[in-house]
Amino acid sequence: MSIMTYREALNQAMREEMRRDETIVLMGEEVGFYQGAYKVSKGLLDEFGPMRVLDTPITELGFTGLGVGAAMVGVRPIVEMMTFNFALLALDQIVNSAAKMLYMSGGQFSIPLVVRGPGGAGHQLAAQHSQSLEAWFCHVPGLKVVTPATPADAKGLLKTSIRDNNPVVFIESEVLYGTRGEVPDGEYLTPLGVADVKRPGRDVTVIAHSKMLLVALDAAADLAKEGIEVEVVDPRTLRPLDVETLLNSVKKTNRVVIVEEGWPQYGVGAQFVDVIQHGAFDYLDAPILRVTGADVPMPYAKNLEHLALPAKQRVKDAVYRVLYRQGVGAQGHA
Amino acid sequence: MKSSNAATKTANLADLMCAPGQPAAGTMEERARREDLTLLKTMLEQMLLVRRFEEKAAELYTLGKIGGFCHLYIGQEAVAVGALSTTQPDDYIFTSYREHGHALVRGMDPGEVMAELCGKQSGVSKGKGGSMHLFDKRRGFLGGHAIVGGQIPLAAGAAFASKYFQQSRVTLCFFGEAAVNIGSFHESLNLAALWKLPVVFICENNRFGMGTPIERASTLYDLSQKACAYNMARTWVDGMDVLAVRETLKEAVDRARQASAPTLIEARTYRFMGHSMSDPSHGHYRTKSEVEEQRRHDPIKQFTAALEATGIVNQEYLDELEQKVRDMVEEAVAFAERSPEPDPKELGTDVYVD
Ligand SMILES: Cc1ncc(C[n+]2csc(CCOP(=O)(O)OP(=O)(O)O)c2C)c(N)n1
Ligand SMILES: [Mg+2]
C-alpha cells in the first residue's frame, strides 16, 4: 500500500497504461506543456513525447470527434475535458458517434475511448462551471459511466476504463484531486460495474457516488455515535450499475437514503429508486429519500452555494426520517 | 506530429496556401485519352451502377420496402467515382447519409447494400444501420453518418491514426455544402491543418441543403476559400466531369500521402432528385426548368459522349453494359428480398463489446 492523492493515482493509472500499450494517447487542452489544468497529466509529456500527449486547441467537439475516429482504427485515446461542463460542446460526438458506432455498424466498429475530467462543483465556480452531468451520459446506451471517489478507485477504475473496448465517460472531481488515501501497490485493476460497501451497517443504506461519498461517510461517523449504523454503498460505476450489491444492502437495512450532487429531477438517484422499488419492494420499511443538489443553477455566493449542495446535516436528517425518528428540520430534497 | 507542441512559428505569408489550385485543364475527351482504357470502362460502369441502383432504391422506397430517410445520389455520381478512383484499398472513406454511391463505388456488394436499405440481416450493417449508416470495415468504409458534419472530425481522427502508426493511408471525407457552416467542419479543418493530417475533405456542393440554396446559407460561394482560414491547400472542380474530379483528387491524395497535408476540395455538382425520398425533385425551392437545365449536364451522359467520341466505347458496348448493370441491380434486389429480417435477438447485441 502507498498513500497518495487522487490526482497522483489518476496520473499513475495513465502512466502505467501508456507504458503497457503504445496505442494509448492522451489529448486535450493544456495536458502537455502546461502539465494539465489540474496537473493530472503531470510529467506525461516528458515521458511519452508530443506524439502521445497532445495539446489541442480549445475545440472540444473537434478533438473528441477526432478521438472517436482514431478509436475506430486502432488508437486508444484518452480525451481530457478541462471540466465536464465543456463536454457539452462535445456531446454530439460522444452521444451520436461514440455511443452508436458499434450498433449502427452492425458490430464492426468498437470505440475504445475514455473521456475523462472533473465534474461537479468546485468552490464558488458559479453556474457554468459547477455542474454534475453524469445523468446525461448515464442515459445513453453504448456509454459506460464511471465516478470514482477514492484514490484507490480512481487508479483501479481508470486503468480498467482505459482497457475497456467501449467508450467510457470517466468523471472525476476537482475537490477530490487533493484527497489522500491508500492505493494498493503493483498492478491494480478495479472492475467496472461492481459497487463497493465503503462502510458496513445494519440500520440504513446510504448510496453515494463521487465526492458525495465523503459527505455520506462523514454523516455515518456522526450517526454511529448516536447508535445508528449506516451502511454506505458507493456504486462507483453508474453504468453498468451493480444492482445486486445495492439490493443486498437494502434487503439488510430496509431503509434507503440516496445522496447525489446533481439536480433532483430525472437524476441518477431516481434510477436507483427505480431499481430498488423493483427489486426490493417488499423489503422497504420507509419511502426512499434523496438528498440532492438544489434545483437551481449554481449560485456564486459562498452561503448560497453551500445551501445548494448536499451537506452532512441534510444526510443525517434524511437518515432520521427514514428511521421515523425526530430529526431537526429534516427534508428530502434540496 | 512534431508541430503539435512546437512553439508557434511566425506565419510566413509565402506559406499561405489559399491561392486556389488549378481547375483541371482541357476537355473531357483530352483527359480520357490520357487515362487507362480499362479504368475508363470501370468508371463508366460504376457511374451507371450507382444510377440504376438509386433508381431501383426509389422504386423500392415507394413500395414501402425501404423505410426511414433515403437520400439518393443521382446527379452526383461523377464525384464519388472520380474521387475513389484515386484511392488504395486500405485508404479510409467517411461520408454522410447520402452514401449509397460511395459505398458501391468502393466495391461494397450491391446485394448487401440493398439488403441494408431494406433492413435485412444480410445487410452490410446487419440491418441495424439502414440507408444512412452503411459501414464496411474490410473496405475501409467508415460510414455513413447522419448528423450533418459529424463525420468530419471522425475523418480527422482516422487520418491521425494512420499518421500515428506511420502508415501511408489517406482518408477521404465527403460532405455536403451545407456542412461547411457547422462548427465541426471548422474545428476539424483547423486540427487537420495544425497536425498535418493526411486527409482530403471533399465538399459536394449540390447547391442545396434540403430546401435551402447555398446563397441563403452563406455569404461566401467559393466554398474552398474556407480552407484559407486554416492555411490549407484548396481547390474546386467541376463535379459533373468525372475525369476532372479524378485529376483534382489525384493531386490532393498525393499531397496527403506524400506530404501528410490536408486539402479542401469543392466539387460543384447538382442533385437531380429531391433531398430525400420524401421531398419532390422540384417545387417551392427550385423550378422544374432549373432541374431540366441541370440535367443537360448529366455526368453520365457527358462521360459516355466523351468515351464514344474518342472511340473507347461504341453503342454495342453501351447496350451490353446497360444490361449488365441492370442485371446486377436485379440480383441485388433479389438478394435483399430473399434475405431474412434480423433475428429479434439482434435487438440487444452490438451495444457493448467485450
Ligand atoms: C446537425 C444536423 N442538423 C440538421 C440535420 C437535418 N438535415 C439532414 S440533411 C440536411 C441538409 C444538408 O445538406 P448538405 O450538407 O448540403 O448535404 P446534401 O443533403 O445536399 O448532400 C439537413 C438540414 C441533420 N441531419 N444534422
Ligand atoms: Mg447539399
Side-chain angles (χ1 to χ4, degrees):
Chain A
M1 288 282 183
S2 316
I3 304 280
M4 69 179 78
T5 62
Y6 185 100
R7 171 188 287 113
E8 286 161 349
L10 293 168
N11 181 278
Q12 264 195 9
M14 289 196 283
R15 194 183 295 272
E16 288 175 14
E17 291 305 299
M18 289 179 80
R19 281 182 188 156
R20 184 185 59 79
D21 181 352
E22 284 201 347
T23 67
I24 300 169
V25 303
L26 170 67
M27 60 177 86
E29 294 153 21
E30 313 290 3
V31 297
F33 272 179
Y34 193 76
Q35 312 292 316
Y38 294 95
K39 307 297 178 236
V40 174
S41 55
K42 192 172 173 192
L44 297 184
L45 173 64
D46 277 352
E47 176 165 351
F48 299 105
M51 269 302 275
R52 297 187 64 193
V53 179
L54 296 128
D55 280 322
T56 64
I58 304 167
T59 184
E60 281 79 7
L61 177 65
F63 65 73
T64 304
L66 191 150
V68 178
M72 290 178 82
V73 291
V75 179
R76 302 180 73 88
I78 304 170
V79 170
E80 178 171 312
M81 290 292 155
M82 192 177 271
T83 82
F84 258 93
N85 302 287
F86 316 138
L88 295 182
L89 285 101
L91 214 50
D92 172 48
Q93 287 296 335
I94 297 171
V95 175
N96 279 319
S97 295
K100 304 200 173 23
M101 205 69 79
L102 184 71
Y103 200 84
M104 67 187 186
S105 69
Q108 294 183 76
F109 291 97
S110 58
I111 307 296
L113 171 85
V114 176
V115 180
R116 51 152 289 274
H123 295 290
Q124 290 191 272
L125 299 178
Q128 294 179 333
H129 282 72
S130 303
Q131 305 171 92
S132 297
L133 297 171
E134 44 269 45
W136 291 46
F137 300 102
C138 286
H139 193 57
V140 183
L143 298 180
K144 295 187 178 183
V145 182
V146 181
T147 55
T150 67
D153 288 343
K155 178 166 180 187
L157 289 168
L158 183 53
K159 282 172 69 89
T160 309
S161 298
I162 292 169
R163 294 185 192 190
D164 202 288
N165 288 322
N166 300 284
V168 178
V169 175
F170 190 95
I171 306 180
E172 302 155 10
S173 160
E174 191 191 326
V175 175
L176 291 175
Y177 282 141
T179 57
R180 295 178 162 276
E182 285 190 337
V183 178
D185 296 323
E187 188 78 309
Y188 180 62
L189 291 157
T190 308
L192 305 190
V194 180
D196 193 31
V197 177
K198 297 291 186 187
R199 178 189 174 111
R202 58 171 191 276
D203 297 326
V204 176
T205 296
V206 174
I207 304 170
H209 70 278
S210 193
K211 70 171 179 282
M212 289 304 111
L213 174 68
L214 306 195
V215 176
L217 287 171
D218 207 9
D222 276 15
L223 290 163
K225 291 179 200 144
E226 302 170 24
I228 299 170
E229 290 301 332
V230 169
E231 176 147 296
V232 180
V233 184
D234 178 0
R236 299 197 290 193
T237 309
L238 300 179
R239 187 184 183 101
L241 180 65
D242 179 0
V243 175
E244 200 186 326
T245 300
L246 297 189
L247 293 183
N248 286 342
S249 180
V250 175
K251 287 176 184 174
K252 186 167 72 169
T253 64
N254 316 111
R255 296 163 203 276
V256 186
V257 170
I258 296 164
V259 191
E260 58 190 308
E261 190 178 312
W263 295 304
Q265 300 201 37
Y266 308 93
V268 167
Q271 179 69 20
F272 299 166
V273 172
D274 179 65
V275 299
I276 292 167
Q277 68 78 24
H278 182 77
F281 185 73
D282 290 332
Y283 292 85
L284 288 173
D285 287 342
I288 300 168
L289 289 187
R290 292 168 64 204
V291 179
T292 73
D295 202 12
V296 298
M298 187 63 77
Y300 166 72
K302 210 172 199 167
N303 66 325
L304 295 181
E305 181 183 58
H306 185 72
L307 283 173
L309 290 169
K312 179 170 73 176
Q313 189 56 48
R314 284 177 47 215
V315 177
K316 287 167 68 177
D317 290 343
V319 169
Y320 296 137
R321 282 184 62 196
V322 297
L323 285 164
Y324 297 107
R325 297 200 192 176
Q326 291 304 317
V328 195
Q331 278 178 7
H333 291 247
Chain B
M1 205 66 40
K2 69 179 189 335
S3 60
S4 68
N5 280 299
T8 335
K9 74 170 180 154
T10 318
N12 177 353
L13 283 182
D15 278 355
L16 288 177
M17 299 174 95
C18 74
Q22 291 294 314
T27 65
M28 202 185 286
E29 285 157 42
E30 285 162 1
R31 281 193 275 283
R33 288 200 182 87
R34 295 201 287 269
E35 299 283 1
D36 176 75
L37 280 189
T38 321
L39 176 79
L40 290 168
K41 289 179 175 170
T42 304
M43 290 171 83
L44 181 62
E45 178 175 327
Q46 289 173 333
M47 291 174 81
L48 212 54
L49 173 63
V50 173
R51 177 70 56 96
R52 298 294 171 252
F53 183 97
E54 293 290 63
E55 287 165 354
K56 185 57 83 173
E59 219 178 289
L60 295 189
Y61 190 92
T62 313
L63 293 172
K65 293 184 176 174
I66 296 174
F69 291 138
C70 183
H71 310 83
L72 304 181
Y73 198 58
I74 293 175
Q76 301 179 219
E77 295 91 343
V79 183
V81 172
L84 293 175
S85 75
T86 66
T87 56
Q88 297 297 319
D90 62 353
D91 289 341
Y92 296 135
I93 317 299
F94 285 88
T95 77
S96 71
Y97 45 82
R98 194 181 297 286
E99 89 283 38
H100 311 161
H102 309 85
L104 294 173
V105 177
R106 188 61 180 172
M108 286 162 68
D109 179 67
E112 291 176 16
V113 175
M114 195 60 95
E116 189 61 37
L117 269 51
C118 296
K120 298 300 185 75
Q121 175 76 45
S122 58
V124 283
S125 307
K126 298 197 326 206
K128 290 174 157 183
S131 160
M132 302 193 284
H133 304 301
L134 304 174
F135 287 83
D136 189 345
K137 193 169 196 169
R138 284 168 308 160
R139 294 186 174 80
F141 197 84
L142 276 65
H145 300 270
I147 304 298
V148 167
Q151 71 274 31
I152 310 179
L154 297 174
F160 168 82
S162 23
K163 182 157 182 167
Y164 185 76
F165 293 127
Q166 298 179 356
Q167 300 157 335
S168 73
R169 286 187 154 118
V170 171
T171 298
L172 260 56
C173 179
F174 297 88
F175 46 88
E177 87 294 335
V180 305
N181 299 316
I182 208 161
S184 63
F185 167 83
H186 294 274
E187 297 196 19
S188 307
L189 258 68
N190 184 47
L191 285 167
L194 185 69
W195 290 356
K196 288 190 158 294
L197 301 179
V199 53
V200 183
F201 299 108
I202 302 145
C203 172
E204 298 194 48
N205 181 358
N206 63 9
R207 305 267 302 103
F208 299 91
M210 290 185 70
T212 305
I214 177 71
E215 295 81 4
R216 289 183 56 224
S218 171
T219 48
L220 181 77
Y221 312 147
D222 181 15
L223 296 179
S224 73
Q225 278 189 49
K226 305 267 182 190
C228 300
Y230 308 105
N231 199 14
M232 183 185 294
R234 59 113 176 179
T235 191
W236 66 271
V237 63
D238 175 359
M240 299 309 231
D241 178 339
V242 66
L243 295 178
V245 174
R246 176 174 157 76
E247 281 185 17
T248 304
L249 259 290
K250 257 193 203 161
E251 198 183 317
V253 165
D254 276 353
R255 180 178 297 118
R257 215 183 299 283
Q258 316 306 340
S260 191
T263 306
L264 172 65
I265 295 168
E266 178 200 353
R268 295 180 182 164
T269 179
Y270 197 86
R271 85 170 138 67
F272 293 165
M273 309 294 282
H275 167 70
S276 71
M277 280 304 296
S278 42
D279 175 45
S281 79
H282 53 86
H284 46 269
Y285 66 88
R286 61 184 194 185
T287 60
K288 189 170 180 206
S289 63
E290 176 183 322
V291 179
E292 274 165 4
E293 163 60 26
Q294 290 292 337
R295 274 187 178 271
R296 289 179 40 226
H297 306 290
D298 185 319
I300 300 182
K301 278 190 203 148
Q302 286 194 59
F303 190 41
T304 309
L307 294 188
E308 275 186 301
T310 45
I312 294 166
V313 301
N314 56 25
Q315 195 53 50
E316 191 191 341
Y317 179 88
L318 292 172
D319 291 343
E320 277 171 25
L321 183 64
E322 184 67 46
Q323 195 51 50
K324 178 181 172 189
V325 164
R326 283 180 189 277
D327 289 348
M328 284 168 79
V329 172
E330 282 313 322
E331 223 171 276
V333 174
F335 173 80
E337 295 205 321
R338 69 171 178 267
S339 292
E341 290 182 329
D343 188 300
K345 285 197 210 86
E346 286 290 340
L347 175 66
T349 62
D350 303 321
V351 180
Y352 295 98
V353 69
D354 286 340

